[in-house]
Amino acid sequence: MDLLTLPEMASSAEPIARRLVEWLRHAIVTMRIRPGEKLSEQELARRFGVSRQPVREAFIKLAESGLVRVLPQRGTMVVKISIEAVEDARFIREAIECAVAREAARRVDTRALAEVRARLDLAAEAMAAGDTERFFALDEEFHQRLAAAAGRPNSWRVVEEQKAQMDRARYLDMSDSIPMKTVMAQHLAILSAVESGDERAAETAMRVHLTEILVSLPKLASRWPDLFEARETETSGAA
Amino acid sequence: MDLLTLPEMASSAEPIARRLVEWLRHAIVTMRIRPGEKLSEQELARRFGVSRQPVREAFIKLAESGLVRVLPQRGTMVVKISIEAVEDARFIREAIECAVAREAARRVDTRALAEVRARLDLAAEAMAAGDTERFFALDEEFHQRLAAAAGRPNSWRVVEEQKAQMDRARYLDMSDSIPMKTVMAQHLAILSAVESGDERAAETAMRVHLTEILVSLPKLASRWPDLFEARETETSGAA
DNA sequence: GATTGAAGACTAGTATGGAAGTTTTTCCTT
DNA sequence: AAGGAAAAACTTCCATACTAGTCTTCAATC
């Protein structure tokens, strides 16, 4: 078991715990650490060559994000993908991003929209080059910049957290995700509507874009049943 | 400086850190601890009669919620109220809760809606009795139950976090907040629209309810300038 | 053979000391 | 008196030891 290296110590002043969170979050979202897997403070501390404390604090942060669950005196594990949680995340994301699209179309902040379009152009290049990793990154930036163009840059933070839940499912099987070409077309439709100041068209285009995401979810759940949370049988609501 | 007592140890198995978070969060949201105030691990540990570690972990959780800011090697402080942050929170809340209202009206889950109406009735009693504290609690429950009636109970968690930012401003001056009578009427309008399955009316009613909240914000900011974050002068967006 | 229970190997939670870094104070120099 | 450097007094951060609770294992007992 060789020592793992923490993400770039570009700014070495960055506390260990912060870098640990980054490393773990990425590993979880990209499914390098699988849902349901047990995480040991002790083992991770050994592998990173640090003490238990920073690992523990990283777990706390990840627990706040809903990526891991800490059971007192029992253990810490990566939460399984929950169909319900993914649906909720999609619902929330759609609500926020549709409002963002509407607001962006209402403002038509030309300068900010130029930044959005720049991401679209770069994404086209990435697609042509077959660089899916970069394409996904630019996908994120597109949405982030659009939020900025709506004057609500912070709303992206909330969306980002929801997105993490959805992304894990996507990383399960890339071939199941929406083709890059389709995403490009949808992004273009959104941006065009926003640029022309058509609030309703912008919102509709965004809704279309964010709707199809979960079509393949049941299929994934049945193919990897151990990675998914068993759906709650009881109905919520007490006396 | 006498020892402070942590919230009820109803389940004494509850770790100290968890109870600390609860105590601190409530104290911050209700403005018992003022924005900008410095929090010391050491001092709080002394006052609660515990070690620094659980206090530290509580800070981490509150930082994740955006209620405090931890500056490495410098200190921890309650974040000041930011007009921009409150506006963002309101924007996000409106987006989600309008979607919730629409969805609830689409479903018309009679059983769940009965729970919503029950909160409305209890709130009417609280108003008659002049019990503002209870009225506010039932206000929250109204929204929470409505989310459940929309089949999105988890969306309330996200709204709740945003709400915390807004609530601090409200606690500054209760007399500035919307009168209970108005809130009651708005809640009734929302529920009636939902019960009759009118999606558009439900969304509109919710939007109205969530719009007026920030009318008094600038006034509050000018009256307590030291509790508010100075608005950023630079425009976001780097090269 | 099935059940029970005690010992050991885990786990997270807490306490404490010290390291690294920042801010304030103090005191000397000009 | 004003400016600046050293030092003292803070802060969070990390390492380590210990506590307390949970689960597993395996042997003794019924």
Side-chain angles (χ1 to χ4, degrees), chain B residues 83-101:
Chain B
I83 293 186
E84 191 183 358
V86 175
E87 287 175 345
D88 284 355
R90 199 207 62 82
F91 176 82
I92 292 166
R93 184 182 178 186
E94 177 184 301
I96 295 176
E97 293 228 63
C98 283
V100 162

Side-chain angles (χ1 to χ4, degrees), chain A residues 13 49 68 74 159 198 214 224:
Chain A
V68 308
R74 296 178 67 182
V159 173
D198 188 337
L214 45 71
W224 287 280

Side-chain angles (χ1 to χ4, degrees), chain A residues 84-99 155 158-163 166 210, chain B residues 92 95-97 99-100 152-159:
Chain A
E84 191 183 358
V86 175
E87 287 175 345
D88 284 355
R90 199 208 62 81
F91 176 83
I92 292 166
R93 185 182 177 185
E94 176 184 301
I96 296 176
E97 293 226 65
C98 283
S155 69
V158 180
V159 173
E160 198 174 20
E161 193 163 313
Q162 303 302 318
K163 193 170 178 297
M166 302 163 56
L210 295 178
Chain B
I92 292 166
I96 295 176
E97 293 228 63
V100 162
R152 302 291 168 201
N154 290 333
S155 69
W156 174 249
R157 291 184 178 279
V158 180
V159 173

Side-chain angles (χ1 to χ4, degrees), chain B:
Chain B
M1 185 80 58
D2 50 358
L3 238 62
L4 296 178
T5 57
L6 287 174
E8 275 318 304
M9 48 182 66
S11 75
S12 66
E14 197 74 5
I16 297 175
R18 301 247 202 289
R19 285 185 280 161
L20 259 172
V21 169
E22 211 177 318
W23 192 93
L24 283 170
R25 185 185 301 274
H26 187 261
I28 291 174
V29 171
T30 60
M31 301 284 279
R32 274 193 40 208
I33 305 179
R34 311 287 280 190
E37 191 168 328
K38 239 181 107 174
L39 297 178
S40 163
E41 286 183 4
Q42 189 120 27
E43 187 199 330
L44 279 173
R46 271 201 312 269
R47 293 177 60 177
F48 283 105
V50 299
S51 80
R52 301 192 326 263
Q53 203 56 42
V55 177
R56 171 175 173 71
E57 300 187 356
F59 283 2
I60 293 175
K61 292 179 187 177
L62 293 172
E64 289 290 308
S65 300
L67 289 178
V68 309
R69 174 177 317 206
V70 179
L71 296 95
Q73 265 71 27
R74 296 177 67 180
T76 301
M77 61 194 62
V78 179
V79 299
K80 294 192 175 184
I81 303 175
S82 156
I83 293 186
E84 191 183 358
V86 175
E87 287 175 345
D88 284 355
R90 199 207 62 82
F91 176 82
I92 292 166
R93 184 182 178 186
E94 177 184 301
I96 295 176
E97 293 228 63
C98 283
V100 162
R102 224 165 41 226
E103 181 66 15
R106 199 180 66 77
R107 297 196 178 201
V108 195
D109 180 340
T110 316
R111 183 181 299 272
L113 289 177
E115 292 288 344
V116 180
R117 184 164 284 279
R119 267 65 196 179
L120 209 54
D121 296 339
L122 290 171
E125 295 176 15
M127 179 174 71
D131 189 343
T132 58
E133 205 61 39
R134 179 159 168 71
F135 182 84
F136 284 144
L138 287 165
D139 181 342
E140 281 219 359
E141 284 188 33
F142 173 87
H143 287 272
Q144 182 176 8
R145 293 282 177 171
L146 192 64
R152 302 291 168 201
N154 290 333
S155 69
W156 174 249
R157 291 184 178 279
V158 180
V159 173
E160 198 174 20
E161 193 163 314
Q162 302 303 317
K163 195 169 177 294
Q165 293 290 340
M166 301 162 58
D167 280 348
R168 291 201 298 164
R170 200 188 56 188
Y171 273 96
L172 260 180
D173 186 352
M174 293 298 208
S175 69
D176 261 13
S177 55
I178 302 166
M180 288 191 278
K181 198 174 156 190
T182 306
V183 172
M184 275 297 300
Q186 292 173 345
H187 279 190
L188 188 60
I190 294 168
L191 181 55
S192 299
V194 169
E195 284 176 334
S196 64
D198 189 336
E199 295 183 37
R200 292 203 27 162
E203 177 179 351
T204 302
M206 179 65 83
R207 197 178 303 280
V208 168
H209 178 49
L210 295 178
T211 297
E212 355 183 317
I213 291 176
L214 45 71
V215 291
S216 59
L217 203 55
K219 189 168 67 180
L220 295 174
S222 64
R223 202 190 311 178
W224 288 280
D226 53 322
L227 299 183
F228 281 76
E229 189 71 36
R231 193 181 270 273
E232 298 285 335
T233 54
E234 58 179 359
T235 56
S236 68

